[in-house]
mmCIF file of all heavy atoms in Angstrom:
data_model
loop_
_atom_site.group_PDB
_atom_site.id
_atom_site.type_symbol
_atom_site.label_atom_id
_atom_site.label_comp_id
_atom_site.label_asym_id
_atom_site.label_seq_id
_atom_site.Cartn_x
_atom_site.Cartn_y
_atom_site.Cartn_z
ATOM 1 N N VAL Q 1 1.164 -14.590 19.645
ATOM 2 C CA VAL Q 1 2.574 -14.647 20.036
ATOM 3 C C VAL Q 1 2.677 -15.675 21.149
ATOM 4 O O VAL Q 1 1.958 -15.607 22.147
ATOM 5 C CB VAL Q 1 3.097 -13.273 20.526
ATOM 6 C CG1 VAL Q 1 4.469 -13.412 21.148
ATOM 7 C CG2 VAL Q 1 3.141 -12.276 19.391
ATOM 8 N N VAL Q 2 3.569 -16.657 20.961
ATOM 9 C CA VAL Q 2 3.775 -17.710 21.950
ATOM 10 C C VAL Q 2 5.245 -17.727 22.327
ATOM 11 O O VAL Q 2 6.114 -17.769 21.453
ATOM 12 C CB VAL Q 2 3.367 -19.098 21.396
ATOM 13 C CG1 VAL Q 2 3.602 -20.177 22.444
ATOM 14 C CG2 VAL Q 2 1.919 -19.095 20.957
ATOM 15 N N ALA Q 3 5.513 -17.694 23.631
ATOM 16 C CA ALA Q 3 6.889 -17.778 24.134
ATOM 17 C C ALA Q 3 7.275 -19.241 24.292
ATOM 18 O O ALA Q 3 6.412 -20.118 24.385
ATOM 19 C CB ALA Q 3 6.997 -17.069 25.480
ATOM 20 N N THR Q 4 8.570 -19.501 24.329
ATOM 21 C CA THR Q 4 9.051 -20.871 24.491
ATOM 22 C C THR Q 4 8.595 -21.476 25.816
ATOM 23 O O THR Q 4 8.481 -22.690 25.929
ATOM 24 C CB THR Q 4 10.585 -20.934 24.406
ATOM 25 O OG1 THR Q 4 11.133 -20.011 25.359
ATOM 26 C CG2 THR Q 4 11.067 -20.595 23.010
ATOM 27 N N ASP Q 5 8.286 -20.632 26.821
ATOM 28 C CA ASP Q 5 7.814 -21.142 28.113
ATOM 29 C C ASP Q 5 6.294 -21.256 28.185
ATOM 30 O O ASP Q 5 5.735 -21.529 29.240
ATOM 31 C CB ASP Q 5 8.345 -20.283 29.260
ATOM 32 C CG ASP Q 5 7.831 -18.857 29.228
ATOM 33 O OD1 ASP Q 5 6.997 -18.520 28.354
ATOM 34 O OD2 ASP Q 5 8.268 -18.057 30.081
ATOM 35 N N GLY Q 6 5.592 -21.010 27.066
ATOM 36 C CA GLY Q 6 4.142 -21.203 27.023
ATOM 37 C C GLY Q 6 3.304 -19.960 27.202
ATOM 38 O O GLY Q 6 2.084 -20.020 27.057
ATOM 39 N N ARG Q 7 3.903 -18.824 27.542
ATOM 40 C CA ARG Q 7 3.119 -17.590 27.659
ATOM 41 C C ARG Q 7 2.501 -17.267 26.310
ATOM 42 O O ARG Q 7 3.149 -17.417 25.278
ATOM 43 C CB ARG Q 7 3.993 -16.431 28.122
ATOM 44 C CG ARG Q 7 4.484 -16.602 29.541
ATOM 45 C CD ARG Q 7 5.325 -15.442 29.954
ATOM 46 N NE ARG Q 7 6.717 -15.769 29.678
ATOM 47 C CZ ARG Q 7 7.720 -14.931 29.819
ATOM 48 N NH1 ARG Q 7 7.496 -13.693 30.198
ATOM 49 N NH2 ARG Q 7 8.942 -15.307 29.570
ATOM 50 N N ARG Q 8 1.233 -16.805 26.313
ATOM 51 C CA ARG Q 8 0.516 -16.570 25.059
ATOM 52 C C ARG Q 8 -0.218 -15.235 25.098
ATOM 53 O O ARG Q 8 -0.805 -14.868 26.101
ATOM 54 C CB ARG Q 8 -0.528 -17.651 24.828
ATOM 55 C CG ARG Q 8 0.005 -19.047 24.800
ATOM 56 C CD ARG Q 8 -1.105 -20.078 24.822
ATOM 57 N NE ARG Q 8 -1.992 -19.962 23.698
ATOM 58 C CZ ARG Q 8 -1.867 -20.644 22.567
ATOM 59 N NH1 ARG Q 8 -0.878 -21.494 22.441
ATOM 60 N NH2 ARG Q 8 -2.715 -20.490 21.578
ATOM 61 N N LEU Q 9 -0.192 -14.545 23.965
ATOM 62 C CA LEU Q 9 -0.944 -13.313 23.765
ATOM 63 C C LEU Q 9 -1.556 -13.399 22.378
ATOM 64 O O LEU Q 9 -0.837 -13.647 21.394
ATOM 65 C CB LEU Q 9 -0.016 -12.093 23.865
ATOM 66 C CG LEU Q 9 -0.604 -10.736 23.486
ATOM 67 C CD1 LEU Q 9 -1.691 -10.325 24.461
ATOM 68 C CD2 LEU Q 9 0.481 -9.679 23.441
ATOM 69 N N SER Q 10 -2.872 -13.224 22.297
ATOM 70 C CA SER Q 10 -3.529 -13.264 20.994
ATOM 71 C C SER Q 10 -4.477 -12.079 20.864
ATOM 72 O O SER Q 10 -4.929 -11.523 21.862
ATOM 73 C CB SER Q 10 -4.292 -14.580 20.803
ATOM 74 O OG SER Q 10 -5.348 -14.682 21.728
ATOM 75 N N ALA Q 11 -4.769 -11.708 19.599
ATOM 76 C CA ALA Q 11 -5.673 -10.599 19.314
ATOM 77 C C ALA Q 11 -5.995 -10.608 17.827
ATOM 78 O O ALA Q 11 -5.396 -11.356 17.053
ATOM 79 C CB ALA Q 11 -5.030 -9.267 19.703
ATOM 80 N N ASP Q 12 -6.926 -9.744 17.446
ATOM 81 C CA ASP Q 12 -7.227 -9.580 16.026
ATOM 82 C C ASP Q 12 -6.001 -9.052 15.288
ATOM 83 O O ASP Q 12 -5.694 -9.492 14.193
ATOM 84 C CB ASP Q 12 -8.399 -8.619 15.821
ATOM 85 C CG ASP Q 12 -9.710 -9.173 16.361
ATOM 86 O OD1 ASP Q 12 -9.831 -10.407 16.504
ATOM 87 O OD2 ASP Q 12 -10.620 -8.364 16.640
ATOM 88 N N VAL Q 13 -5.300 -8.079 15.923
ATOM 89 C CA VAL Q 13 -4.085 -7.496 15.347
ATOM 90 C C VAL Q 13 -3.022 -7.410 16.431
ATOM 91 O O VAL Q 13 -3.285 -6.921 17.527
ATOM 92 C CB VAL Q 13 -4.348 -6.081 14.776
ATOM 93 C CG1 VAL Q 13 -3.060 -5.451 14.261
ATOM 94 C CG2 VAL Q 13 -5.412 -6.110 13.691
ATOM 95 N N LEU Q 14 -1.823 -7.895 16.112
ATOM 96 C CA LEU Q 14 -0.670 -7.765 17.005
ATOM 97 C C LEU Q 14 0.430 -7.010 16.287
ATOM 98 O O LEU Q 14 0.711 -7.287 15.116
ATOM 99 C CB LEU Q 14 -0.123 -9.138 17.409
ATOM 100 C CG LEU Q 14 -0.971 -9.981 18.346
ATOM 101 C CD1 LEU Q 14 -0.307 -11.333 18.574
ATOM 102 C CD2 LEU Q 14 -1.192 -9.277 19.668
ATOM 103 N N VAL Q 15 1.044 -6.059 16.999
ATOM 104 C CA VAL Q 15 2.172 -5.304 16.467
ATOM 105 C C VAL Q 15 3.363 -5.588 17.368
ATOM 106 O O VAL Q 15 3.361 -5.223 18.546
ATOM 107 C CB VAL Q 15 1.875 -3.789 16.424
ATOM 108 C CG1 VAL Q 15 3.084 -3.021 15.907
ATOM 109 C CG2 VAL Q 15 0.635 -3.503 15.581
ATOM 110 N N GLY Q 16 4.372 -6.262 16.814
ATOM 111 C CA GLY Q 16 5.569 -6.600 17.564
ATOM 112 C C GLY Q 16 6.687 -5.634 17.239
ATOM 113 O O GLY Q 16 7.003 -5.426 16.068
ATOM 114 N N HIS Q 17 7.259 -5.025 18.259
ATOM 115 C CA HIS Q 17 8.385 -4.104 18.085
ATOM 116 C C HIS Q 17 9.658 -4.863 18.430
ATOM 117 O O HIS Q 17 9.790 -5.415 19.524
ATOM 118 C CB HIS Q 17 8.218 -2.875 18.971
ATOM 119 C CG HIS Q 17 6.992 -2.091 18.632
ATOM 120 N ND1 HIS Q 17 6.983 -1.113 17.675
ATOM 121 C CD2 HIS Q 17 5.724 -2.181 19.092
ATOM 122 C CE1 HIS Q 17 5.761 -0.611 17.577
ATOM 123 N NE2 HIS Q 17 4.982 -1.240 18.420
ATOM 124 N N ILE Q 18 10.598 -4.877 17.497
ATOM 125 C CA ILE Q 18 11.816 -5.669 17.620
ATOM 126 C C ILE Q 18 12.989 -4.725 17.835
ATOM 127 O O ILE Q 18 13.062 -3.660 17.212
ATOM 128 C CB ILE Q 18 12.012 -6.524 16.355
ATOM 129 C CG1 ILE Q 18 10.790 -7.445 16.205
ATOM 130 C CG2 ILE Q 18 13.294 -7.327 16.411
ATOM 131 C CD1 ILE Q 18 10.633 -8.063 14.852
ATOM 132 N N SER Q 19 13.926 -5.113 18.711
ATOM 133 C CA SER Q 19 15.072 -4.250 18.990
ATOM 134 C C SER Q 19 15.855 -3.992 17.711
ATOM 135 O O SER Q 19 15.819 -4.780 16.768
ATOM 136 C CB SER Q 19 15.972 -4.882 20.054
ATOM 137 O OG SER Q 19 16.614 -6.020 19.537
ATOM 138 N N GLN Q 20 16.588 -2.912 17.686
ATOM 139 C CA GLN Q 20 17.311 -2.500 16.489
ATOM 140 C C GLN Q 20 18.600 -3.272 16.279
ATOM 141 O O GLN Q 20 19.388 -2.930 15.426
ATOM 142 C CB GLN Q 20 17.568 -1.004 16.526
ATOM 143 C CG GLN Q 20 16.287 -0.212 16.437
ATOM 144 C CD GLN Q 20 16.538 1.268 16.315
ATOM 145 O OE1 GLN Q 20 17.636 1.705 16.023
ATOM 146 N NE2 GLN Q 20 15.503 2.046 16.546
ATOM 147 N N GLY Q 21 18.794 -4.360 16.996
ATOM 148 C CA GLY Q 21 19.985 -5.180 16.812
ATOM 149 C C GLY Q 21 19.963 -5.962 15.515
ATOM 150 O O GLY Q 21 20.977 -6.448 15.065
ATOM 151 N N ALA Q 22 18.786 -6.084 14.888
ATOM 152 C CA ALA Q 22 18.686 -6.836 13.633
ATOM 153 C C ALA Q 22 19.452 -6.108 12.546
ATOM 154 O O ALA Q 22 19.419 -4.896 12.442
ATOM 155 C CB ALA Q 22 17.232 -7.005 13.236
ATOM 156 N N ALA Q 23 20.160 -6.845 11.723
ATOM 157 C CA ALA Q 23 20.996 -6.248 10.679
ATOM 158 C C ALA Q 23 20.138 -5.702 9.544
ATOM 159 O O ALA Q 23 19.320 -6.431 8.994
ATOM 160 C CB ALA Q 23 21.954 -7.296 10.142
ATOM 161 N N PRO Q 24 20.267 -4.401 9.189
ATOM 162 C CA PRO Q 24 19.498 -3.867 8.076
ATOM 163 C C PRO Q 24 19.985 -4.446 6.752
ATOM 164 O O PRO Q 24 21.148 -4.809 6.610
ATOM 165 C CB PRO Q 24 19.767 -2.358 8.151
ATOM 166 C CG PRO Q 24 21.038 -2.236 8.895
ATOM 167 C CD PRO Q 24 21.146 -3.431 9.802
ATOM 168 N N GLY Q 25 19.076 -4.545 5.811
ATOM 169 C CA GLY Q 25 19.437 -5.021 4.482
ATOM 170 C C GLY Q 25 19.637 -6.515 4.413
ATOM 171 O O GLY Q 25 20.153 -7.030 3.446
ATOM 172 N N LYS Q 26 19.241 -7.239 5.447
ATOM 173 C CA LYS Q 26 19.374 -8.694 5.438
ATOM 174 C C LYS Q 26 18.430 -9.267 4.389
ATOM 175 O O LYS Q 26 17.301 -8.831 4.270
ATOM 176 C CB LYS Q 26 19.022 -9.227 6.829
ATOM 177 C CG LYS Q 26 19.288 -10.696 6.968
ATOM 178 C CD LYS Q 26 19.099 -11.147 8.388
ATOM 179 C CE LYS Q 26 19.407 -12.631 8.459
ATOM 180 N NZ LYS Q 26 19.329 -13.126 9.774
ATOM 181 N N PRO Q 27 18.848 -10.251 3.617
ATOM 182 C CA PRO Q 27 17.981 -10.815 2.587
ATOM 183 C C PRO Q 27 16.695 -11.371 3.175
ATOM 184 O O PRO Q 27 16.660 -11.783 4.330
ATOM 185 C CB PRO Q 27 18.809 -11.939 1.969
ATOM 186 C CG PRO Q 27 20.193 -11.746 2.457
ATOM 187 C CD PRO Q 27 20.131 -10.883 3.680
ATOM 188 N N ASP Q 28 15.643 -11.374 2.353
ATOM 189 C CA ASP Q 28 14.352 -11.894 2.786
ATOM 190 C C ASP Q 28 14.454 -13.378 3.078
ATOM 191 O O ASP Q 28 15.333 -14.074 2.579
ATOM 192 C CB ASP Q 28 13.296 -11.658 1.713
ATOM 193 C CG ASP Q 28 12.990 -10.185 1.546
ATOM 194 O OD1 ASP Q 28 13.166 -9.429 2.496
ATOM 195 O OD2 ASP Q 28 12.566 -9.815 0.447
ATOM 196 N N ALA Q 29 13.496 -13.866 3.859
ATOM 197 C CA ALA Q 29 13.441 -15.294 4.184
ATOM 198 C C ALA Q 29 13.189 -16.079 2.905
ATOM 199 O O ALA Q 29 12.574 -15.582 1.972
ATOM 200 C CB ALA Q 29 12.335 -15.532 5.201
ATOM 201 N N PRO Q 30 13.652 -17.332 2.841
ATOM 202 C CA PRO Q 30 13.518 -18.115 1.622
ATOM 203 C C PRO Q 30 12.076 -18.405 1.234
ATOM 204 O O PRO Q 30 11.778 -18.576 0.077
ATOM 205 C CB PRO Q 30 14.262 -19.414 1.942
ATOM 206 C CG PRO Q 30 14.412 -19.444 3.413
ATOM 207 C CD PRO Q 30 14.358 -18.028 3.889
ATOM 208 N N HIS Q 31 11.172 -18.460 2.176
ATOM 209 C CA HIS Q 31 9.766 -18.729 1.875
ATOM 210 C C HIS Q 31 8.959 -17.499 2.233
ATOM 211 O O HIS Q 31 9.128 -16.960 3.318
ATOM 212 C CB HIS Q 31 9.297 -19.939 2.688
ATOM 213 C CG HIS Q 31 7.920 -20.384 2.315
ATOM 214 N ND1 HIS Q 31 6.811 -19.792 2.827
ATOM 215 C CD2 HIS Q 31 7.495 -21.356 1.468
ATOM 216 C CE1 HIS Q 31 5.735 -20.381 2.322
ATOM 217 N NE2 HIS Q 31 6.134 -21.328 1.503
ATOM 218 N N PRO Q 32 8.060 -17.023 1.358
ATOM 219 C CA PRO Q 32 7.337 -15.791 1.646
ATOM 220 C C PRO Q 32 6.458 -15.876 2.886
ATOM 221 O O PRO Q 32 6.150 -14.863 3.487
ATOM 222 C CB PRO Q 32 6.498 -15.551 0.394
ATOM 223 C CG PRO Q 32 6.514 -16.814 -0.373
ATOM 224 C CD PRO Q 32 7.715 -17.584 0.059
ATOM 225 N N ALA Q 33 6.041 -17.061 3.294
ATOM 226 C CA ALA Q 33 5.173 -17.183 4.457
ATOM 227 C C ALA Q 33 5.965 -17.341 5.748
ATOM 228 O O ALA Q 33 5.393 -17.497 6.804
ATOM 229 C CB ALA Q 33 4.236 -18.374 4.289
ATOM 230 N N ALA Q 34 7.294 -17.332 5.683
ATOM 231 C CA ALA Q 34 8.106 -17.488 6.885
ATOM 232 C C ALA Q 34 9.176 -16.411 6.917
ATOM 233 O O ALA Q 34 9.746 -16.063 5.911
ATOM 234 C CB ALA Q 34 8.762 -18.862 6.903
ATOM 235 N N ALA Q 35 9.409 -15.864 8.092
ATOM 236 C CA ALA Q 35 10.468 -14.881 8.268
ATOM 237 C C ALA Q 35 11.135 -15.174 9.593
ATOM 238 O O ALA Q 35 10.577 -15.828 10.456
ATOM 239 C CB ALA Q 35 9.891 -13.468 8.267
ATOM 240 N N SER Q 36 12.350 -14.685 9.765
ATOM 241 C CA SER Q 36 13.070 -14.912 11.006
ATOM 242 C C SER Q 36 13.685 -13.604 11.465
ATOM 243 O O SER Q 36 14.311 -12.907 10.683
ATOM 244 C CB SER Q 36 14.170 -15.949 10.791
ATOM 245 O OG SER Q 36 14.896 -16.118 11.979
ATOM 246 N N ALA Q 37 13.471 -13.272 12.740
ATOM 247 C CA ALA Q 37 14.111 -12.093 13.300
ATOM 248 C C ALA Q 37 15.558 -12.453 13.586
ATOM 249 O O ALA Q 37 15.853 -13.533 14.069
ATOM 250 C CB ALA Q 37 13.402 -11.673 14.585
ATOM 251 N N ASP Q 38 16.479 -11.574 13.266
ATOM 252 C CA ASP Q 38 17.898 -11.802 13.511
ATOM 253 C C ASP Q 38 18.100 -12.108 14.989
ATOM 254 O O ASP Q 38 17.440 -11.557 15.852
ATOM 255 C CB ASP Q 38 18.665 -10.539 13.107
ATOM 256 C CG ASP Q 38 20.152 -10.721 13.184
ATOM 257 O OD1 ASP Q 38 20.668 -10.848 14.316
ATOM 258 O OD2 ASP Q 38 20.798 -10.718 12.136
ATOM 259 N N ALA Q 39 19.020 -12.989 15.295
ATOM 260 C CA ALA Q 39 19.263 -13.408 16.679
ATOM 261 C C ALA Q 39 19.632 -12.231 17.574
ATOM 262 O O ALA Q 39 19.383 -12.251 18.760
ATOM 263 C CB ALA Q 39 20.362 -14.460 16.720
ATOM 264 N N SER Q 40 20.218 -11.167 17.003
ATOM 265 C CA SER Q 40 20.586 -10.020 17.830
ATOM 266 C C SER Q 40 19.398 -9.091 18.048
ATOM 267 O O SER Q 40 19.430 -8.265 18.935
ATOM 268 C CB SER Q 40 21.743 -9.255 17.191
ATOM 269 O OG SER Q 40 21.351 -8.751 15.929
ATOM 270 N N GLY Q 41 18.343 -9.206 17.234
ATOM 271 C CA GLY Q 41 17.131 -8.424 17.436
ATOM 272 C C GLY Q 41 16.159 -9.246 18.254
ATOM 273 O O GLY Q 41 15.952 -10.424 18.009
ATOM 274 N N LYS Q 42 15.585 -8.643 19.292
ATOM 275 C CA LYS Q 42 14.651 -9.400 20.125
ATOM 276 C C LYS Q 42 13.349 -8.635 20.264
ATOM 277 O O LYS Q 42 13.290 -7.433 20.040
ATOM 278 C CB LYS Q 42 15.250 -9.699 21.493
ATOM 279 C CG LYS Q 42 15.457 -8.491 22.367
ATOM 280 C CD LYS Q 42 15.990 -8.905 23.721
ATOM 281 C CE LYS Q 42 15.992 -7.688 24.629
ATOM 282 N NZ LYS Q 42 16.321 -8.036 25.985
ATOM 283 N N LEU Q 43 12.318 -9.340 20.624
ATOM 284 C CA LEU Q 43 11.007 -8.747 20.796
ATOM 285 C C LEU Q 43 11.019 -7.860 22.034
ATOM 286 O O LEU Q 43 11.276 -8.334 23.137
ATOM 287 C CB LEU Q 43 9.970 -9.860 20.927
ATOM 288 C CG LEU Q 43 8.518 -9.487 20.830
ATOM 289 C CD1 LEU Q 43 8.205 -8.866 19.461
ATOM 290 C CD2 LEU Q 43 7.652 -10.721 21.034
ATOM 291 N N GLU Q 44 10.764 -6.557 21.837
ATOM 292 C CA GLU Q 44 10.778 -5.612 22.950
ATOM 293 C C GLU Q 44 9.394 -5.339 23.518
ATOM 294 O O GLU Q 44 9.239 -5.140 24.710
ATOM 295 C CB GLU Q 44 11.377 -4.273 22.501
ATOM 296 C CG GLU Q 44 12.850 -4.326 22.250
ATOM 297 C CD GLU Q 44 13.429 -2.967 21.892
ATOM 298 O OE1 GLU Q 44 12.687 -2.103 21.368
ATOM 299 O OE2 GLU Q 44 14.620 -2.766 22.146
ATOM 300 N N ARG Q 45 8.396 -5.290 22.634
ATOM 301 C CA ARG Q 45 7.049 -4.931 23.064
ATOM 302 C C ARG Q 45 6.060 -5.454 22.035
ATOM 303 O O ARG Q 45 6.346 -5.479 20.848
ATOM 304 C CB ARG Q 45 6.935 -3.406 23.176
ATOM 305 C CG ARG Q 45 5.630 -2.913 23.710
ATOM 306 C CD ARG Q 45 5.600 -1.386 23.873
ATOM 307 N NE ARG Q 45 5.330 -0.740 22.595
ATOM 308 C CZ ARG Q 45 6.156 0.056 21.943
ATOM 309 N NH1 ARG Q 45 7.338 0.321 22.437
ATOM 310 N NH2 ARG Q 45 5.823 0.606 20.801
#
């Protein structure tokens, strides 16, 4: 996980918890290897 200001956290496994602001039922990302968190959902932990 890399922040826009350069902060970095790496590990064998990372679990990102995203705020519930993301809209449920949003269509999948156009490419299977890329996804985008909704702008209203943010990384909490």
Side-chain angles (χ1 to χ4, degrees):
V1 170
V2 180
T4 54
D5 64 4
R7 293 180 267 174
R8 303 170 60 94
L9 172 66
S10 65
D12 294 338
V13 176
L14 290 177
V15 178
H17 298 273
I18 300 164
S19 69
Q20 294 186 15
K26 187 173 181 177
D28 292 334
H31 187 277
S36 177
D38 186 291
S40 62
K42 68 177 188 172
L43 192 61
E44 289 184 334
R45 184 177 81 244

